[in-house]
Amino acid sequence: MNTPLSLLPEISVVIPAYNEGEGVDRALATIAGILQTVSAAWEILVIDDGSRDNTYARVCRYAQTESRVRGVSFSRNFGKEAALLAGLKYSRGRAVVAIDADLQHPPELIPDMIAKWREGAKIVHAVKRSRKTDSVGKRLAALAVNQIISRMGGINIHNSSDYKLLDREIVDILVGQLPERERFFRGLSSWIGFNEEYIEFDVSNRIENESKWSFWSLVELSITALTSFTSVPLRIVTFLGLLTLVLGFAVASEALWSWYHGQAVSGFATIIITLLLIGSFIMISLGIIGEYIAKIYEEIKARPPYLVKSTVGIADEKLA
Ligand code: UDP
Ligand code: MG
């Protein structure tokens, strides 16, 4: 980039938005108001993740009067992870804050995050103090997935969210040095390490419409999270195999013993149960292996994680 350093923003705020037409103006106004108080040079980047509503049109209109608001529009819905990645790529600030478009991540925290960053933190994680707005099922599922990933992957993502501030150094690592296509932003930013700080917050209620995550998209995110951070499930397959082997030996010895002592080997039920058990072990194992193969397949195709349809307020050189 040829822009002189002095013109670069100090703070970039990245907002992934999918069908957020109803709330995006308010989010932009609120966040811009807060940024105004903490930094002289800032920018807000809205990544329209292929919305079907007027999200992008509103961003464009906003950008006409406020040149520090910029927008990128995807050719279709590529998912929040892709939107976050694009946001990081297009951002130019010395620090980059990722925040949701629905104001469920309280923007009032931004000044605290920036303060911590100015004190030397490279990553400031906003951590959910409560998940009151989530259903019991979603809370339990999140607990389980976070627990498993934290245990197996050796990183701490308990109650973490995608609401984070990252120093330019971290952004450059995330964008430039981690070539994986399927990403789990939350996990990756913990995995990097460096000087991390935490701020707690309460998730507020969504003002407009519904959460954009369907049940299956959450399942998919969990599988991505697991497969990108740990290969322990593959070891579980090996373990299941060993377990069946030991059980097999035990049952076989018992059968031989009975046969040797002249008793007929009995137990149709035992056979059926064993068959079914082993059958399901095999199927589950194949499934687990399949998930990892699918992951390899996705990575090896090396398709771009997103395609940009148009941008507003962004110099063309960055489109490449
Ligand atoms: N989002 C996105 N692409 C998607 C789904 C969601 O960019 O495919 C954005 C959405 O606009 C919002 C953020 O990701 O800014 C979080 O989404 P949501 O509020 O629906 O999720 P939740 O708060 O339930 O985690
Ligand atoms: Mg939300």
Side-chain angles (χ1 to χ4, degrees), residues 15-20 47-49 77-81 83 99-102 104-105 128 134 138 186 203 206 210-213 218:
I15 314 180
Y18 177 50
N19 294 345
E20 301 281 3
I47 313 299
D48 163 37
D49 185 11
N77 180 247
F78 281 94
K80 186 183 178 185
E81 293 290 328
I99 187 169
D100 280 3
D102 55 9
Q104 275 189 307
H105 294 160
K128 293 175 195 156
D134 289 348
K138 198 171 166 190
R186 230 171 282 182
V203 182
R206 221 175 199 285
E210 281 284 281
S211 169
K212 303 294 181 301
W213 294 94
L218 282 175

Side-chain angles (χ1 to χ4, degrees), residues 120-141:
K122 292 280 178 198
I123 308 178
V124 185
H125 303 276
V127 186
K128 293 175 195 156
R129 191 180 293 131
S130 65
R131 286 178 161 263
K132 271 181 268 164
T133 57
D134 289 348
S135 65
V136 178
K138 198 171 166 190
R139 261 188 264 179
L140 281 179

Side-chain angles (χ1 to χ4, degrees), residues 88 94 121-124 165-178 185 188-190 192-196:
L88 296 183
R94 303 296 318 148
K122 292 280 178 198
I123 308 178
V124 185
L165 177 148
L166 308 174
D167 183 80
R168 170 59 37 196
E169 196 180 339
I170 307 296
V171 175
D172 287 344
I173 294 176
L174 276 175
V175 173
Q177 292 185 31
L178 305 179
F185 177 65
L188 284 178
S189 38
S190 295
I192 288 185
F194 284 88
N195 190 1
E196 296 172 276

Side-chain angles (χ1 to χ4, degrees), residues 21 38 71 85 179-181 199 205 215 252 263 316:
V38 282
L85 175 65
E180 56 206 276
R181 256 132 256 283
I199 290 188
N205 278 318
F215 172 74
Q263 295 160 8
D316 281 332

Side-chain angles (χ1 to χ4, degrees), residues 198-274:
Y198 298 85
I199 290 188
E200 288 200 322
F201 76 98
D202 289 311
V203 182
S204 42
N205 278 318
R206 221 175 199 285
I207 305 173
E208 278 92 14
N209 55 40
E210 281 284 281
S211 169
K212 303 294 181 301
W213 294 94
S214 66
F215 172 74
W216 286 112
S217 56
L218 282 175
V219 170
E220 224 179 285
L221 182 70
S222 312
I223 293 180
T224 305
L226 271 173
T227 48
S228 21
F229 279 96
T230 165
S231 49
V232 174
L234 289 174
R235 288 214 191 105
I236 295 177
V237 171
T238 318
F239 175 77
L240 280 181
L242 285 176
L243 190 76
T244 6
L245 185 70
V246 172
L247 281 179
F249 267 122
V251 174
S253 330
E254 202 248 355
L256 281 178
W257 175 265
S258 308
W259 173 74
Y260 185 72
H261 287 86
Q263 295 160 8
V265 180
S266 69
F268 180 67
T270 326
I271 294 174
I272 290 295
I273 291 172
T274 326

